[in-house]
Amino acid sequence: MKYRKMGSLPWEVSALGFGCMRLPTTPILHRVDERQSISIIRKGIDLGINYVDTAWMYHMGNSEKVLGKALQDGYRQKVKLVTKLPMIFMKKEEDFDRFLNQQLERLQSDYLDMYLFHMLNETNFEKMKQMNLISKMEKARDAGKIKHIGFSFHDTLPVFKKIIDFYPWEMAQIQYNYLDTNIQATTEGLQYAHKKGIAVVIMEPLKGGQLANPPKEAIDVINKSDVKRSPVDWALQFLWNRPEIATVLSGMGSMKMVEENCMSADKSGIGSLTSHELNIIDQLTDISKKKIIVPCTACQYCMPCPAGVNISQNFALLNNKSFSNEGKLMSRLIQSLFLRNYTKLSKSKSDAVKNNNGRATLCVKCNKCIPKCPQQINIPSELEKVVAVFEKRQKVEMFRVNS
Ligand code: SF4
Ligand code: SF4
């Protein structure tokens, strides 16, 4: 494992951090598979990971509970433990202590190495100020319950700069990957925070898995390259190449992912990519930008939908259909598989609500999901594209925005 500086903190953090948002789940009810999760988290730590990240909302609270169990038997002392205050559930100032105490209990720890305001955007930033939550954070720090204060971010560059300038933060967690250099905090925001000595931690390095399974044309570029790397390794090395980045969080869901990502981290380094390699990444970026239809990262914050729509799965099917190459025989076979997977989603409202597995057609446009989406996706409107492609059989190319 390679280790990197964590902003102005005297920490040496592993280049790869363990994100606990996409832990392995059971095949039928999609609950966190506790035994497997504990074993992959511990494997990551055994391979040198010393930074673990979770949140109140991940796996509906079960991520923190399982992580707490994984960190028994001496593992807690080997890591920096980070979780987040769920800003969207904060109704009043007093909620702060209730959440923090419960999180410490779930995590079976007396303290957090870092506590973040989760999902700061313009609205949550105002809420944070109105409820005087910085003072609550500082009191918790004085009491020894948390060691450092930071925030995770989903909004635009001007909002990011406003938040950065508001307080002497010790860490900012941003969404960044080779497709997202111009959205959310952007490269400029990354550099802005870094210059102020704030540790910048990266989330969504693979854009919710999309960069692990890029379009067919991108795979061709990768296969033809003289530098042999997997799509995931290209995406991760792009990040580790940058000096502003402290650690890269990967939401790992299997032992194979942990082992492969740790191997990638072993080979990482600031400024290690050649101009030829950076040029290959530029090509991958151009291809993927043209093919993505909905920038959904499958975070599930919008779920459950009262009508039972499995929002992220509908978007994944649409993007995957767009990623596969039209026209060729193999591609046509793959495309029919996407259609088959779409028809496996339920069209009956009662079944969909029970199992959260409904098709896009069930959306009643209540708009309840829209404020929950960190990517600011107009979900009901994007679901109409899913309906158009899978129900009305319109061509997927019609919906590509950057073609
Ligand atoms: S707008 Fe549609 S997808 Fe969103 S919560 Fe309402 S019914 Fe569900
Ligand atoms: S639509 Fe938005 S909130 Fe829902 S899973 Fe995708 S990115 Fe997350």
Side-chain angles (χ1 to χ4, degrees):
M1 180 59 63
K2 293 274 172 61
Y3 295 87
R4 302 168 68 109
K5 260 184 73 59
M6 181 79 182
S8 303
L9 292 174
W11 295 2
E12 290 281 307
V13 285
S14 46
L16 179 70
F18 206 119
C20 297
M21 187 166 97
R22 296 185 170 95
L23 293 171
T25 51
T26 55
I28 299 176
L29 292 170
H30 303 292
R31 299 219 167 98
V32 177
D33 183 327
E34 194 173 300
R35 193 185 54 77
Q36 223 196 320
S37 298
I38 291 173
S39 125
I40 67 167
I41 292 167
R42 290 186 172 183
K43 178 71 175 179
I45 299 170
D46 291 341
L47 290 172
I49 291 177
N50 68 2
Y51 188 102
V52 288
D53 167 89
T54 182
W56 173 276
M57 290 160 66
Y58 296 172
H59 291 288
M60 295 181 189
N62 288 313
S63 168
E64 288 180 333
K65 285 184 192 156
V66 171
L67 179 57
K69 290 182 185 172
L71 294 182
Q72 297 308 295
D73 304 325
Y75 281 87
R76 171 67 185 94
Q77 290 70 32
K78 297 180 182 180
V79 294
K80 299 295 183 195
L81 175 59
V82 183
T83 192
K84 313 182 189 81
L85 178 72
M87 288 302 295
I88 59 168
F89 298 143
M90 286 292 292
K91 301 276 182 262
K92 53 189 183 315
E93 194 183 332
E94 298 75 55
D95 291 340
F96 180 94
D97 295 313
R98 183 170 60 83
F99 280 119
L100 175 58
N101 290 338
Q102 224 173 309
Q103 287 174 295
L104 289 170
E105 203 175 302
R106 284 176 177 178
L107 289 161
Q108 303 186 46
S109 185
D110 297 334
Y111 69 96
L112 301 170
D113 293 286
M114 183 81 73
Y115 197 36
L116 310 184
F117 292 105
H118 196 179
M119 216 171 124
L120 282 197
N121 52 21
E122 186 98 65
T123 312
N124 287 335
F125 181 47
E126 286 310 311
K127 200 194 233 188
M128 182 202 88
K129 287 191 284 184
Q130 275 160 18
M131 291 188 191
N132 202 17
L133 294 179
I134 286 279
S135 139
K136 297 294 288 181
M137 279 275 189
E138 289 176 338
K139 278 188 190 139
R141 189 172 59 187
D142 294 344
K145 289 185 177 181
I146 66 175
K147 301 284 181 202
H148 301 283
I149 302 169
F151 68 95
S152 70
F153 177 79
H154 288 289
D155 209 316
T156 56
L157 176 63
V159 180
F160 184 69
K161 285 187 172 175
K162 200 159 57 171
I163 296 172
I164 287 286
D165 293 341
F166 177 77
Y167 185 73
W169 307 100
E170 289 157 306
M171 183 269 231
Q173 185 168 314
I174 64 166
Q175 171 175 328
Y176 194 75
N177 54 63
Y178 68 67
L179 284 192
D180 290 343
T181 54
N182 291 319
I183 63 163
Q184 302 242 350
T186 74
T187 304
E188 189 180 329
L190 166 69
Q191 292 168 331
Y192 190 75
H194 176 70
K195 269 194 197 127
K196 293 190 170 225
I198 299 168
V200 184
V201 170
I202 300 304
M203 59 184 157
E204 301 295 1
L206 304 177
K207 205 168 169 67
Q210 289 174 22
L211 307 189
N213 298 294
K216 165 83 174 56
E217 292 89 331
I219 300 274
D220 290 343
V221 170
I222 287 173
N223 289 342
K224 277 188 205 140
S225 164
D226 45 344
V227 185
K228 296 299 165 209
R229 288 208 166 101
S230 67
V232 171
D233 193 40
W234 276 109
L236 294 176
Q237 298 301 345
F238 166 78
L239 297 168
W240 287 318
N241 191 52
R242 296 206 70 110
E244 304 92 349
I245 290 173
T247 184
V248 175
L249 296 174
S250 175
M252 294 175 278
S254 72
M255 196 61 89
K256 187 166 176 270
M257 278 186 208
V258 173
E259 287 170 349
E260 287 179 359
N261 290 356
C262 283
M263 265 162 51
S264 284
D266 287 345
K267 294 178 288 170
S268 69
I270 292 169
S272 62
L273 296 183
T274 63
S275 54
H276 171 63
E277 289 169 307
L278 290 169
N279 179 269
I280 288 174
I281 293 171
D282 285 345
Q283 291 178 51
L284 303 181
T285 306
D286 289 346
I287 293 166
S288 294
K289 273 192 176 161
K290 284 184 186 144
K291 294 254 169 161
I292 281 184
I293 297 177
V294 189
C296 170
T297 60
C299 69
Q300 311 285 354
Y301 293 178
C302 54
M303 298 284 283
C305 151
V309 179
N310 185 336
I311 297 169
S312 62
Q313 182 61 15
N314 277 280
F315 290 154
L317 288 168
L318 185 65
N319 282 331
N320 288 339
K321 187 169 166 63
S322 175
F323 277 13
S324 67
N325 210 16
E326 301 87 13
K328 298 182 185 148
L329 176 62
M330 185 52 79
S331 165
R332 284 206 293 276
L333 288 174
I334 294 169
Q335 301 243 353
S336 70
L337 275 181
F338 293 137
L339 182 59
R340 212 170 71 194
N341 285 341
Y342 178 76
T343 55
K344 280 185 192 160
L345 292 169
S346 185
K347 55 182 174 184
S348 133
K349 183 175 173 190
S350 56
D351 176 59
V353 168
K354 198 164 127 212
N355 298 307
N356 290 315
N357 69 343
R359 294 183 191 183
T361 36
L362 293 174
C363 172
V364 292
K365 304 196 173 5
C366 69
N367 293 346
K368 284 188 181 148
C369 51
I370 295 177
K372 296 185 196 161
C373 178
Q375 310 301 324
Q376 288 146 3
I377 297 169
N378 186 329
I379 294 170
S381 145
E382 296 301 303
L383 284 172
E384 283 177 8
K385 297 177 185 171
V386 180
V387 174
V389 169
F390 288 110
E391 304 268 351
K392 300 181 183 159
R393 307 296 170 88
Q394 290 182 19
K395 283 197 176 303
V396 75
E397 304 93 285
M398 285 172 54
F399 300 100
R400 290 184 190 139
V401 279
N402 296 312
S403 298

